[in-house]
Amino acid sequence: MIAGAAAAGQLLVVAGGARSSGSAALPSRPLALLLLLLLLLLCLVGAEQAAPTPGAAGERRRVDVDVGVILDRTTWLGNISWACMELALQDFYADDDDAGYSTRVRLHLRDAPAGPSAVDAASAGVDLLKNVHVQAIVGPQTSTQAKFLAELGNKASVPIISFSANSPSRSPSQTPYFIRTAWNDSCQAEAIASLVQNYNWREVIPIIEDDDSNARFIPDLVDALGHVDTRVPYRCKIHPSAGEDEIKRAISGLKENWTSVFVVRMSYQLALKFFQLAKDEGMMGQGYVWITAYGLTDIFNVVGYPALEVMEGVVGIEPYVPETVKLNKFRRRWREKYRSENPGTSINEPITSGLYAYDTVWAIALAAEQAGFVNSDFVLSETNNGSTDFDKISAYKAAEKFRGAFLKVNFTGISGQFVIQDMQFQLVSTTYKIINIAGREKRAVGVWTPGLNMSKILEKKDGISTIIWPGGSENTPRGWLLPANKELKVGVPVKPGFGSFIRSEDGIPKGFCIDVFEEVISNLTYKVPKHYVEFGNGEGESNGTYDELVYKVYLKEFDAVVGDITILANRSLYVDYTLPYTESGVRMLVPVRDQRQKTAWTFLEPLTADLWFGTGSFVVFTGFIVWFIEHRTNQEFRGPPASQIGSVFYFSFSTLVFAHRERIVNNLSRIAVVVWLFVVLILQQSYTASLSSILTVEQLQPTVTNLDEVIRRGDYVGYLNDSFMPNLLKRLKINETKMRAFSSPEEYNDALSTGKVAVIVDEIPYLKVFLAKYCHNYTMVGPTYKFDGFGYAFPRGSPLTPEISRGILELASNGRMDELEKKLYGDTSCPDKDDSQTSSSLTLHSFLGLFIITGASSLLALILHVIITLYDHRSNWINGSGQISWRELLAILVKIFHERDSANTPDEEVPGMEDIDPATAESPWSMSNHVIENVDSDTDTGSTPEGEGTPGREVANQGPGPLSFAYMHSEGAME
């Protein structure tokens, strides 16, 4: 309008100028007026066109954002999801007047069957990209379709957003325009593995639909189970179009397996058919475990009662959606809308994928607004003139801008927090809910959260609620079952010789190995059907070696092997062993002989040489002490020197046999003798016991103590036939030409007794059976070479292996194993002979304490005697010590301690008898009444002349005493 007015003004100016140029131009005035009217008319028309009409201003401000949708509305998922998408746009633009949005998302739906073929979905995608010029495509439903559409998205730089195809076969780096608004299956795999670990199941079999939806899920599941030490023996795949017969064959294959824990991931239609047939086959009863992955758990909301009835006891994993007011309101609105569009439907609420579809469209509308679209410009492909529709697809700048905005969207939707994970183009993994079908109802029993694992409620580690398993039992299944109509085929070795371990009686296996196995099997809480098959030719001979027998288990010709099967490393490569049920190890068996030779000098063997010498020394020492104390007062210890020396030895040696007859009169000597007699008593008893042992008990010692001695002498070594011993002996550097095989205890005895072999090398259980029969002539010697003993062999991964192992431990703990071993080895035990040749003679060290006691007692008595004697005669040697030489002093001391002390001599007469010598009537502790005379070297009598200051000697009242030591050496005594 303003421009029109300006143009009119200019025309008026021009007209005025023309008029003023000359008055003669009057005929042009009507033309100017005509032009002015035309300009005014133009201004009015422009103003009318520019004037806004009510309600049209907002529409002119909005930019339409075209988004394609590829769904299969003939399916539950497609129909439910489309209703959720429509509600999402209604809710997002409900407050448009207040928000003032500049864009508006318009959905363009294309129906594409969600079958195994992706042609329809690819065609729909090409149509949307080529003809509608969409900035994004929501869908498709399946991972198979997503694989093709992801390539279209890469070519056109248009994001392909899927809320249900959660397992594409290609990585995000290969398909950067494929964005998943569903949670990661690898996180779901971790939740399932945590549930398996919680109940300690060791094997799981996945049952999956054979399509691209499981291309990434199965590797993730196997890895997650491997982290919790759970095996996946095999995978059961069922084609989406499989008929009833094919499904039954798959179920029969599952029944023939030991594993009873299954993880199921398939479409609703196939799952419902599968579980119905599994129930008909009896696989929905006790002992089975069925875990359904996310996607299949929605079947209970979709199908309702039919699914709840056939899936009783199933445990499911589904994403955790917090209950909010917004979600509850949405459910009511969705239910009204869906029922109005689908009369007679049994679906009561949207499934989890429907909630993802709602949040996905909400995020698209939010991203479109944040991207600030002004147009939908696009760049033609360089191959726009190609021969195919794929070559004519164009690249859209607006779609690239929209993708960047969509990846940054962050909001709280009705399914939870909506955040696309960096570089993964998928929702961030979070919490899963654990559901259980019980009483034809779906109930939540716990949640799984990364880092916290299983719990009843969020952010706590308190375990999950009680699960009702198939069959209505609350007891946790053990995770495996015996295959239907399966009877274990148990291989039994044929081994003549050691029949106490394994033998056949009328075709029935007997022996210790069978007894233990039967005890364990009978203690199990379930029945294990079995039958034994001998590994023999029917003539009492084996069909092969033990290695070949064990390999039969690996070849599945036997379900187990029971017998004296040694646990070896090379055998464990093909089978699993139970815990050993016998003593483990390998030792040598050798003859024994008596090492003691009975000779004329055998009586000396009880005591070692040092003990003999020590005993003799203390005999002489004790005799000397007694003589020294007694000879002054006891007539029996006096006399000529030779007589006194004889008395010393005779008395001391006679005490060894308590045959001494000399009477002891001094209390000090009595103390010394009493202590010595105590020592002699112990010595005598020990000597008698040791001599008796030497003369009556054999000292059996092994003829060989180690293999080095055998190798050095070049002797032969025996071993058990059909065993692993040759390999062991070769490692021990035994020449193969020096090895000889034997098959029975009798052959062992014959070979050792006749010298055919020097030793037998065998496992301890065999040797103990041999020694139970030949105990006194042989013994086990040498080091124990470590081996694991006997065990039962089962196929790799067999669930019976840990069950039997626990049974063996139970037998060992309750004492039943000891009873079976007594039956095997006999009640009498055969002790091992000592293979070290140590002497049994008594040593000085064993009696050192006694000798110290008697020596100390004798020395103490001697010291006290010397002190008392010197004290009693102190007047004789103290007064004269200052005036005589040390030689004279020595002579005085000699005289004091050697001369008879008649005053202290005890009365030797017996009361009432007339021949009592009154000189001995005094106490040995009485003081002497005679005077000791000084010794004069120049006199023969030893008397001291008077007048030299020496003390005189009083005359005793007693009779004459014994001759003094000086007199015995005088000339008078010689005469």
Side-chain angles (χ1 to χ4, degrees), residues 398-560:
E400 177 67 25
K401 189 175 182 181
F402 170 79
R403 173 181 176 274
F406 186 83
L407 293 177
K408 297 178 182 178
V409 169
N410 187 346
F411 69 97
T412 302
I414 60 174
S415 65
Q417 193 68 23
F418 190 97
V419 180
I420 301 300
Q421 190 174 13
D422 294 340
M423 301 306 294
Q424 296 296 321
F425 312 124
Q426 61 193 15
L427 284 184
V428 179
S429 302
T430 183
T431 305
Y432 279 87
K433 180 168 61 175
I434 305 170
I435 64 171
N436 178 220
I437 306 303
R440 295 182 175 86
E441 292 183 356
K442 175 183 173 182
R443 64 189 187 100
V445 295
V447 294
W448 178 87
T449 306
L452 294 178
N453 293 335
M454 319 299 292
S455 59
K456 291 181 182 178
I457 58 177
L458 288 175
E459 300 180 354
K460 284 191 176 182
K461 295 182 178 181
D462 56 353
I464 62 176
S465 300
T466 302
I467 293 178
I468 306 300
W469 303 101
S473 174
E474 295 183 2
N475 298 325
T476 303
R478 60 175 179 267
W480 65 273
L481 291 172
L482 288 172
N485 302 321
K486 174 82 173 174
E487 188 177 46
L488 295 184
K489 184 179 179 181
V490 181
V492 178
V494 176
K495 187 174 186 178
F498 285 88
S500 53
F501 287 103
I502 191 76
R503 65 185 182 277
S504 178
E505 294 181 1
D506 299 328
I508 301 176
K510 299 287 185 179
F512 175 75
C513 302
I514 299 296
D515 293 342
V516 174
F517 186 72
E518 289 289 344
E519 285 278 349
V520 173
I521 291 295
S522 62
N523 291 335
L524 296 177
T525 57
Y526 47 89
K527 185 179 180 181
V528 180
K530 65 185 183 309
H531 70 279
Y532 296 104
V533 178
E534 291 186 352
F535 186 61
N537 56 9
E539 299 178 358
E541 297 179 356
S542 177
N543 270 345
T545 65
Y546 273 37
D547 290 338
E548 294 172 345
L549 173 59
V550 171
Y551 194 67
K552 294 291 184 182
V553 177
Y554 177 75
L555 298 177
K556 297 184 179 181
E557 296 182 21
F558 289 124
D559 297 312

Side-chain angles (χ1 to χ4, degrees), residues 19-220:
R19 200 172 42 248
S20 62
S21 60
S23 57
L26 291 176
S28 62
R29 186 174 183 178
L31 179 62
L33 291 175
L34 180 61
L35 293 174
L36 181 61
L37 291 175
L38 291 174
L39 289 175
L40 290 175
L41 181 62
L42 291 174
C43 290
L44 290 174
V45 172
E48 183 179 1
Q49 291 178 350
T53 59
E59 292 180 1
R60 279 191 294 272
R61 284 190 294 108
R62 295 194 189 98
V63 176
D64 289 338
V65 179
D66 296 313
V67 175
V69 178
I70 300 177
L71 291 174
D72 182 5
R73 292 197 62 188
T74 62
T75 63
W76 297 314
L77 176 61
N79 205 24
I80 292 172
S81 300
W82 177 247
C84 293
M85 291 180 184
E86 289 183 322
L87 284 176
L89 287 182
Q90 293 179 16
D91 294 346
F92 188 86
Y93 295 112
D95 54 352
D96 191 4
D97 294 337
D98 297 332
Y101 294 126
S102 61
T103 61
R104 189 176 186 90
V105 173
R106 296 188 182 276
L107 301 178
H108 301 272
L109 176 64
R110 296 292 185 271
D111 269 325
S117 175
V119 175
D120 294 330
S123 299
V126 171
D127 176 58
L128 291 171
L129 293 173
K130 180 182 176 182
N131 300 322
V132 185
H133 305 299
V134 295
Q135 276 73 59
I137 295 178
V138 179
Q141 291 180 205
T142 66
S143 297
T144 302
Q145 297 171 338
K147 181 171 62 174
F148 290 93
L149 285 179
E151 295 296 338
L152 293 178
N154 287 344
K155 185 175 182 61
S157 299
V158 173
I160 307 298
I161 304 171
S162 179
F163 58 87
S164 58
N166 48 15
S167 292
S169 58
R170 305 186 68 181
S171 64
S173 62
Q174 294 174 314
T175 56
Y177 285 88
F178 182 80
I179 303 174
R180 295 170 53 221
T181 55
W183 290 343
N184 190 0
D185 270 354
S186 62
C187 182
Q188 179 187 197
E190 294 177 10
I192 294 174
S194 180
L195 179 64
V196 171
Q197 184 186 30
N198 188 63
Y199 293 102
N200 198 31
W201 294 318
R202 300 269 57 90
E203 285 190 354
V204 171
I205 295 179
I207 304 174
I208 58 175
E209 189 169 354
D210 191 8
D211 60 6
D212 289 340
S213 64
N214 294 296
R216 291 284 298 275
F217 171 73
I218 290 301
D220 291 340

